[in-house]
Amino acid sequence: MSATTIGVRRRRRRRLSVLARILYGTLTVVFLLALFAAGTVAGVVYSYSRNLPDINKMADFQPQRTTRVYARDGELLATLYNQNRIWVPIAKIPQRVRNAFVANEDHNFYQHHGVDFGGIARAALADYRHEQFQGASTITQQLARALFLSNEVSISRKIQEALLAMEIERYYTKDEILERYLNLIYFGSGAYGIEAAAHEYFGTDVSRLTTGQIALLAGLPAAPSDYSPYVNLDRARERQQHVLERMISSGYITSDEAADAADAPLGLIGERPTGLQSYRYPYFTTYVEHVLEDQFGTHTVYEGGLEVNTTLDPHLQQLAQEAVNWGVGRAEAEGINAHQAALVAIRPQTGEIVAMVGGAGGFSLTNQFNRAWQALRQPGSSFKPYVYTAAIDSGIPPTATVDDSPISYPMGDGTRWSPMDDDFRFLGPITLRYALAQSRNVVAVKLAQEIGVDRVIEYAHRMGIKETLEPNLSLALGSSVISPLEQASGYSTLANQGIHIEPTAIRLVTDPIGTTLLDNRFPQETEVVSAGTAYIMTSMLEGVINEGTGYPNAQIGRPAAGKTGTTSDFRDAWFVGYTPDLVTAVWLGNDNYARMNESYGGNVPARTWARFMKAALAGTPKHDFAYPATELRKLAYCGEGKRFEYFLDGTQPVASCASAGWDGRRRVALDAPPVGAEPLAAYVRTALRAAGYTPARSPAPAFATPQAAPMDDDPTLPPAPPDTVVTADPAASDAGTVEIPPPAPDPANTPQPAGTPAAPAAAPAGTASP
């Protein structure tokens, strides 16, 4: 080998050695750089992973859900929420809905493990080429962001999002991830989740959506404020078309199906009002909302996803609103100067509030005050049934007589209070039945004094009144304030044969998984007074409608009982009444307590009550109040007319037509009460001795009772009209015989033709009118 060849080879080896060293060095540097990069990435990942939220909380995550309130017929009344969300399980979300979101948001959803690196590269390339923007976040990443992170745009947030997505994919199935995603994302118009969005835009469940509707909804989450059909329908249609094309490319639908979906009408229901303005029958619904918050707390009501079934009858609610509007309209037309009214209707056997109207003209942002339960007004004479119930239940019969005569009571300030009636007359000794029918104030006050105001308060509270009642004699005339709802509750005790059931607007409440939280379908019953007492009171209140202060305006063509109420300054007018099937309280007045013009409870309130009751009971058969035969004695009076009266067993008169002192024509005379000379208690004792009356319950005040002849107590006998006022035998002539005067007509309680002179001036302050 020549020296030249050897030199060439040596130079070649030196060059290869240099190249090898350079290559080696380069690879070493690259390796070190890669190692450094890997270490850096690992350090970054480790650093961020240390501060990641615990994804185990995802299993316990309770999203805010919408509470839905329904009428008794299933009509949706209101949705209560901080976020309008109705959670629906993945099994109830149609496959086509799932496919639309996967195609549009993450078409590799079922292939990647949380992060789609190919999608990231494609998004970067599209951004570099200024092509149409393509989202790089997977559905899992979006879920991670919604559950654990903020919407901050930063590299650190994207790193955390990717790390969380991979962790989520390790522990949850694709269906579990997709279920949470579809129930959490925001769709605009206040709707969170696919079910709420379906209702908000199309008024239907997600299971009933068409392909075109599905595509429109699937395009909203990227930018709800831009793509909402309520904001820009053209852009919403463009977005819909984009989703349909993605579904075609993903193989979920054909081109023909996409074309049909694009051409089909959307069926948008239109943007609906939110909050109070979205409520159906808001007077009732806002009351239900108040009850729910009081029972379960604000957090549970507005975030707990409760299902609330109420007692409301939409048909009766509409009739009630119409009646209230009509009543206020009549008051204005007749110059009464009353601008507001309220009505509450209750089923006495269940306590269910079937209608509640808190004002005339309907609920609005400027008329939200619910007078049916929030207004506390003086009930006037409509409070008297509590006084009479306490008396009857204590053993005093409706035939007992009390002297309707002047009386006065000392006041704490040195003055004296003298109860009066609006006609400024005194009728002398009259029966309790007649006194209640004609709403005589002096009798009510004397009765309350004799049985005790505390006892009256006790009965009123037991029967349904919740407000604090002032323990003074003016209470008998309705001086303490109560609400129409309380009045309906109190009277319902009488309508339900003495059994009180707390009024309720809610039948059933369940949580999102169907667990019962509240069930009022089988309410607690409390016997407040005997069925006999309730029947006697009902018969006496029937007299109010048939011949008393409620006649003829409150007559409805079927057995009904009720009571008028008017305050002496004409600031409140009431009629509260009932049939065996329905109890209704009506109030009329002004929010500013302005005085009305001669407004009596027997006028517009009674007519409003009758208008509602006739319509509400149009489809209900007429029937009498249940007669408790084992607790009552039904007796006929001797003499002309053969009229009847009812007594609690043991309180009926001991004398009969065959008793000593009875000549077959004239009854035993009663000593006349010492008018104005002795207190009522002295009169009671005198009347007791004269009548031979022995009360069955102690301590019971003794009232004079006319003689009655026993008759067959067979309850199958048709009862006489219980509204008839029992009078003394017209042939009697003894000086001490009680002659009950005929009912005095009350012109204020009867519709008057134009030009009729005004009724006498109102009674003095502190008294009540009928």
Side-chain angles (χ1 to χ4, degrees), residues 234-591:
D234 292 336
R235 293 199 68 182
R237 281 288 196 180
E238 291 175 5
R239 187 65 176 170
Q240 178 197 44
Q241 186 61 43
H242 168 75
V243 174
L244 292 171
E245 292 172 358
R246 297 295 295 268
M247 294 178 73
I248 294 172
S249 64
S250 297
Y252 292 132
I253 60 174
T254 65
S255 298
D256 290 341
E257 288 175 316
D260 291 341
D263 293 338
L266 285 176
L268 293 166
I269 62 173
E271 192 165 14
R272 296 181 293 182
T274 59
L276 292 175
Q277 292 179 299
S278 68
Y279 290 5
R280 292 283 289 155
Y281 312 114
Y283 279 124
F284 177 85
T285 306
T286 52
Y287 174 70
V288 171
E289 187 176 11
H290 162 77
V291 173
L292 289 172
E293 287 189 56
D294 187 60
Q295 183 87 18
F296 299 105
T298 301
H299 175 80
T300 300
V301 171
Y302 294 99
E303 300 182 11
L306 306 179
E307 292 286 301
V308 182
N309 294 283
T310 72
T311 61
L312 182 75
D313 185 320
H315 174 61
L316 296 187
Q317 180 71 11
Q318 293 171 15
L319 293 177
Q321 185 68 69
E322 187 278 333
V324 166
N325 293 344
W326 178 88
V328 172
R330 293 310 308 159
E332 293 178 356
E334 296 171 16
I336 291 177
N337 188 38
H339 303 289
Q340 275 300 343
L343 184 153
V344 179
I346 295 177
R347 297 285 185 203
Q349 294 80 14
T350 62
E352 294 180 336
I353 303 172
V354 294
M356 174 184 283
V357 174
F363 187 94
S364 68
L365 294 179
T366 58
N367 186 27
Q368 298 183 33
F369 184 58
N370 193 334
R371 299 154 191 85
W373 69 275
Q374 291 177 309
L376 299 177
R377 309 294 295 230
Q378 289 183 324
S381 292
S382 68
F383 188 86
K384 289 176 182 175
Y386 304 111
V387 180
Y388 282 78
T389 298
I392 297 295
D393 203 49
S394 298
I396 302 172
T399 53
T401 57
V402 179
D403 191 27
D404 183 11
S405 60
I407 193 169
S408 65
Y409 300 93
M411 304 288 286
D413 58 0
T415 62
R416 298 187 71 83
W417 174 61
S418 301
M420 296 283 292
D421 284 279
D422 68 322
D423 60 2
F424 296 99
R425 295 194 305 156
F426 298 97
L427 305 183
I430 56 177
T431 65
L432 296 187
R433 176 179 288 279
Y434 181 79
L436 182 59
Q438 298 303 319
S439 197
R440 304 305 295 178
N441 291 337
V442 173
V443 173
V445 172
K446 289 183 176 180
L447 188 59
Q449 181 188 28
E450 186 60 29
I451 63 176
V453 174
D454 289 343
R455 190 167 182 81
V456 173
I457 293 174
E458 176 191 353
Y459 271 80
H461 283 157
R462 285 164 56 186
M463 292 173 68
I465 302 301
K466 300 297 183 184
E467 293 300 319
T468 300
L469 301 175
E470 294 298 327
N472 51 57
L473 286 176
S474 65
L475 175 67
L477 308 183
S479 59
S480 290
V481 294
I482 56 180
S483 70
L485 176 58
E486 290 176 278
Q487 279 289 67
S489 175
Y491 278 59
S492 70
T493 300
L494 298 176
N496 195 32
Q497 302 182 72
I499 296 175
H500 178 68
I501 299 176
E502 282 295 312
T504 180
I506 298 172
R507 299 182 69 243
L508 184 68
V509 178
T510 58
D511 66 10
I513 62 174
T515 302
T516 297
L517 303 180
L518 178 65
D519 190 346
N520 288 327
R521 293 173 298 177
F522 307 99
Q524 179 179 352
E525 299 180 345
T526 303
E527 184 176 357
V528 173
V529 297
S530 69
T533 294
Y535 188 87
I536 292 174
M537 280 303 305
T538 295
S539 75
M540 294 171 71
L541 292 172
E542 284 183 291
V544 173
I545 291 177
N546 293 324
E547 63 188 13
T549 57
Y551 176 83
N553 291 330
Q555 290 190 313
I556 59 174
R558 65 173 65 220
K563 185 67 186 75
T564 56
T566 311
T567 55
S568 60
D569 50 11
F570 293 109
R571 287 181 168 82
D572 300 281
W574 298 71
F575 191 87
V576 189
Y578 56 92
T579 69
D581 305 292
L582 193 63
V583 181
T584 301
V586 174
W587 167 85
L588 180 74
N590 293 304
D591 289 339

Side-chain angles (χ1 to χ4, degrees), residues 150-185:
S150 68
N151 288 322
E152 174 192 4
V153 179
S154 65
I155 294 176
S156 63
R157 198 268 292 165
K158 292 297 291 184
I159 293 174
Q160 288 181 311
E161 181 182 291
L163 293 174
L164 281 170
M166 289 186 287
E167 279 293 293
I168 289 172
E169 292 270 354
R170 289 178 59 194
Y171 294 100
Y172 294 90
T173 67
K174 292 292 185 180
D175 278 352
E176 289 173 332
I177 293 170
L178 191 58
E179 177 183 304
R180 286 164 172 78
Y181 172 78
L182 291 175
N183 279 287
L184 288 175
I185 53 177

Side-chain angles (χ1 to χ4, degrees), residues 399 431 433-434 637-641 643-645 667 706-707 724-730 737-743:
T399 53
T431 65
R433 176 179 288 279
Y434 181 79
Y637 277 95
C638 298
E640 298 177 2
R643 298 185 178 184
F644 301 90
E645 186 54 88
R667 63 177 176 78
Q707 300 304 304
T724 302
V725 173
V726 180
T727 63
D729 181 4
T737 298
V738 177
E739 294 289 344
I740 300 180

